[in-house]
Amino acid sequence: MIPSASFPPAAEDNTIFISAEPLDIVGLLSKAHHPGAGAVVLFSGEVRNDNNNKQVAFLEYEAQAAIASRMINDILQEASNKWELNIAIAQHRIGKVNICESAVLVITASPHRKEAYDANRFIIDKIKHEVPIWKREYFTDGTNKWGGNCNCNAI
Amino acid sequence: MIPSASFPPAAEDNTIFISAEPLDIVGLLSKAHHPGAGAVVLFSGEVRNDNNNKQVAFLEYEAQAAIASRMINDILQEASNKWELNIAIAQHRIGKVNICESAVLVITASPHRKEAYDANRFIIDKIKHEVPIWKREYFTDGTNKWGGNCNCNAI
Amino acid sequence: MKFEVFAILKDYFQPEFDLQTTAANIEAVKQELVKLQPAALDVLSTCRFAVNDEFIDNEFQLKESDTICIIPPSSGG
Amino acid sequence: MKFEVFAILKDYFQPEFDLQTTAANIEAVKQELVKLQPAALDVLSTCRFAVNDEFIDNEFQLKESDTICIIPPSSGG
């Protein structure tokens, strides 16, 4: 792993929110078991081969890493205040992400399942809508386009 | 793996719904990536060290495996008809399950995240409420009790 | 008639047992079982019954050769 | 004043550039940028602005030494 590729650098803080490396789903999930938690919910946002009937070749993500990392940390904190969570983890990938690879990962663990689901969804919704991360879609026909999550955001 | 410990036997059908072996979360999750799926949601129901302020030592699960397996299969089918799912997987453990181990696993994958979350929750709710699987709680004080999911089911 | 019981019912009955009875439906069977084990009344009233791995209702005509599974309320997960 | 822009804004501006301006708030800066690149008007009107990695609003007094990040609407996930 290249420390400078992720933010914040591992030496300063071992919690990585923005990663230029493939997300380590298995490693992160293995950290999400807690003796007080009866429910673990994992969300992985993955790259689809199709968007609005155009064949996607791959995506490329860019972030304002300093703001993005701080905001993800704040969102996890906000969720932990709102629900009784034993664990809250989130990481977003930057750079080129291939079909079937994970672009974003959210893991929540709580005593009962309702909180884990609700908090998980809250976190991913906030990350998608508020955190300065941008996707560029590269299509199999050679074209590309800066993405929006929904038509209402299309510029 | 002892084939007879799981149902249905692996030779007849490689989909296992009831397992006497520890659930292979990583292996099952690795099967849940699909080029048409933008969202993968995993739920793991794990054994907590505490229930109603009593210290839990471990749980033991029992099932009527033939009915339980068929019902889980039917629930996955029902969810796949109700939502657009690329993948729907569920497995419940039987026998002794230790703190932090997974007793039940549900994985759903769909083009968009709302369906994956909603279907996942639908599946686990149905499994918990309808499928003939029973939990016995063993406490650290040496006592034990057949469990209910909520007070309203306590006998 | 053969019976298989699960979970909390094993506090009241053997896991598998035979019962000589002419009971032809679930309600009649339940009455016989409560005669054997009056303390099981509350539990039995919450149970489902199955024959050949299919749930049955009170309309189902039981035969002497049937094996009946008695299924307490689920507590999985 | 230094600028850093991201994502779709790079279709209109260099990723980092300097601009000689006395603009003292976001609105004034936006007008200068639109003069440079009239086609960027629609995008700029949806953007957030940050100085020192903190979002700022129109009340924020810009200084000539500031580096301003222009943040288009998020499309992560």
Side-chain angles (χ1 to χ4, degrees), chain A residues 7 15-19 63 65-79 88-93 104-106 123 126-128 130-133:
Chain A
F7 192 94
T15 306
I16 290 168
F17 300 109
I18 300 293
S19 169
I67 300 180
S69 294
R70 195 190 61 228
M71 286 182 77
I72 291 175
N73 193 32
D74 289 349
I75 291 166
L76 294 175
Q77 195 55 58
E78 188 182 350
I89 295 169
Q91 227 175 67
H92 203 297
R93 178 118 174 245
V104 58
L105 202 67
V106 178
I123 292 165
K126 279 234 168 188
I127 289 175
K128 286 193 177 230
E130 299 180 11
V131 175
I133 300 170

Side-chain angles (χ1 to χ4, degrees), chain A residues 61-64 66-67 70-71 92 103-104 127-136 146-149 153 155, chain D residues 4-12 42-43 46 48 50-55 69-77:
Chain A
Y61 285 94
E62 179 182 333
Q64 207 284 16
I67 300 180
R70 195 190 61 228
M71 286 182 77
H92 203 297
V104 58
I127 289 175
K128 286 193 177 230
H129 292 130
E130 299 180 11
V131 175
I133 300 170
W134 305 277
K135 133 170 84 191
R136 190 170 198 162
W146 285 101
N149 281 317
N153 278 339
I155 298 169
Chain D
E4 264 186 73
V5 306
F6 297 88
I8 197 170
L9 283 170
K10 293 189 291 186
D11 291 354
Y12 303 97
D42 285 352
V43 182
T46 65
R48 292 177 288 180
V51 170
N52 293 327
D53 297 335
E54 300 282 348
F55 289 116
C69 283
I70 312 184
I71 309 281
S74 302
S75 61

Side-chain angles (χ1 to χ4, degrees), chain D residues 57-68:
Chain D
D57 62 18
N58 202 44
E59 305 302 303
F60 188 92
Q61 288 293 306
L62 293 169
K63 295 188 304 287
E64 186 111 40
S65 59
D66 283 335
T67 297
I68 301 172

